[in-house]
């Protein structure tokens, strides 16, 4: 409460939004900002996924390769822009990733039953809360995993690509491995976010990293549940 009162006092003294976006935030306000950015991103993604399911699949069916490349390009460019340390650029980069993942999740309602989606969302929430708390309690342990997690993620992507080309793809195994890796990434990205300067731009950038972890966990949990119940 004191942090928000302090920001209100700045507004009265002429600082306003500029003081928030350009100044250094208190630790509490910085973490609240991460949570707010993350929650807003997830809510927007939810509404995008609801509004676009009957438009984008038609585009995908006509140009699936272009659609997939566009998804990757938008996501990568968005991440690069968000890392620039400028709040406006961070918002733009975050928005691009929300658009990309919202587009991807627009297929979910067409492919999976509603009960699977709800259960996957609940399980994802449990994982998010657990790993965020773990990241708070054991930040050094997660920070030490950075290189290992990156190598593991690259290995997972390469293994998925190669096995798909060879026709020996094992979706359940890769889904479990992916859930494990991105769950650890949640704790790591939270702990790493605490190492950044306590500014609005880095709060937004940290929220973006957590957002991508959460979406990846959700998609893999949903895929695993559906495959096991067929």
């Amino acid at each position: 409460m004191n942090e928000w009162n302090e920001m209100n006092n700045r507004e009265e003294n002429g600082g306003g939004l500029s003081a928030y976006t350009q100044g250094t935030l208190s630790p509490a306000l910085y973490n609240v900002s991460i949570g707010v950015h993350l929650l807003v991103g997830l809510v927007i993604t939810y509404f995008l996924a609801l509004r676009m399911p009957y438009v984008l699949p038609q585009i995908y069916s006509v140009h699936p390769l272009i659609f997939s490349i566009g998804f990757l390009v938008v996501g990568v460019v968005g991440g690069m822009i968000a890392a620039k340390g400028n709040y406006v650029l961070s918002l733009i980069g975050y928005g691009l990733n929300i658009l990309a993942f919202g587009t991807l999740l627009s297929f979910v309602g067409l492919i999976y039953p509603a009960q699977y989606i709800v259960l996957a969302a609940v399980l994802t929430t449990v994982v998010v809360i657990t790993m965020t708390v773990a990241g708070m309690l054991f930040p050094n342990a997660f920070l030490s995993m950075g290189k290992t997690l990156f190598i593991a993620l690259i290995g997972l992507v390469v293994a998925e690509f190669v096995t798909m080309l060879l026709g020996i793809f094992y979706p359940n195994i890769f889904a479990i491995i992916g859930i494990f890796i991105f769950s650890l990434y949640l704790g790591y990205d939270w702990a790493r976010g605490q190492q950044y300067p306590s500014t609005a731009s880095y709060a937004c950038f940290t929220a973006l990293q957590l957002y991508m972890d959460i979406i990846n966990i959700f998609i893999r949990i949903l895929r695993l549940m559906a495959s096991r119940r067929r």
Side-chain angles (χ1 to χ4, degrees), residues 14-146:
L17 185 61
S18 177
Y20 169 73
T21 59
Q22 298 180 13
T24 299
L25 309 177
S26 67
L29 182 55
Y30 175 70
N31 288 328
V32 169
S33 297
I34 293 174
V36 170
H37 283 91
L38 178 58
L39 181 60
V40 170
L42 292 173
V43 170
I44 294 174
T45 302
Y46 171 76
F47 282 106
L48 284 175
L50 285 181
R51 295 291 182 180
M52 298 191 294
Y54 300 106
V55 177
L56 293 172
Q58 298 177 12
I59 301 175
Y60 178 83
S61 64
V62 176
H63 300 290
L65 180 60
I66 295 177
F67 184 93
S68 301
I69 293 175
F71 168 79
L72 292 174
V73 170
V74 170
V76 171
V77 171
M80 293 174 61
I81 293 175
K84 295 298 183 180
N86 177 278
Y87 185 62
V88 174
L89 292 179
S90 295
L91 284 178
I92 294 173
Y94 192 14
L96 288 175
N97 273 273
I98 290 173
L99 176 62
F101 281 102
T103 301
L104 178 65
L105 291 178
S106 67
F107 294 92
V108 167
L110 300 177
I111 299 175
Y112 301 103
Q115 61 268 28
Y116 287 7
I117 297 174
V118 173
L119 183 55
V122 172
L123 293 176
T124 302
T125 301
V126 173
V127 173
V128 170
I129 294 174
T130 302
M131 298 311 297
T132 301
V133 172
M136 293 178 180
L137 296 176
F138 310 105
N140 293 332
F142 281 98
L143 290 173
S144 66
M145 299 179 187

